[in-house]
Amino acid sequence: MGRDYEQVRQVLASNIKELRGKRGLSQEALALSADVDRTYVSQIERAVGNPSLLVLCKLGTVLNKDVCDLLVMPQA
């Protein structure tokens, strides 16, 4: 489980950071819009945070993505 879990966290971190950047949002702006702490967004983007399903839903809503999309490795 450990390896799979770490890979999912890395994919999530990368996807959140990329989507936030494409929308021109700072970590603070994303956090405010999603009603989460900015430091939590930073932790998620560094793959050290373990967001709840609720937080993933909030971030997905702000980024206009389904939770599933946040967890899928982008196609090369």
Side-chain angles (χ1 to χ4, degrees):
M1 176 184 123
R3 188 178 292 173
D4 292 337
Y5 173 72
E6 289 303 320
Q7 184 179 16
V8 170
R9 283 199 331 180
Q10 289 294 330
V11 168
L12 174 65
S14 177
N15 287 342
I16 296 286
K17 188 172 185 177
E18 181 180 343
L19 290 166
R20 179 179 61 76
K22 284 182 178 179
R23 284 161 179 73
L25 296 171
S26 65
Q27 286 181 345
E28 185 171 6
L30 175 58
L32 286 171
S33 295
D35 194 30
V36 297
D37 193 85
R38 187 213 48 89
T39 59
Y40 197 37
V41 172
S42 173
Q43 290 173 358
I44 294 168
E45 288 188 358
R46 291 182 288 121
V48 296
N50 186 23
S52 67
L53 183 55
L54 175 61
V55 170
L56 290 178
C57 288
K58 288 179 174 185
L59 292 172
T61 297
V62 174
L63 297 169
N64 296 316
K65 291 290 182 179
D66 290 329
V67 171
C68 298
D69 296 331
L70 300 178
L71 301 172
V72 174
M73 188 175 298
Q75 299 297 321

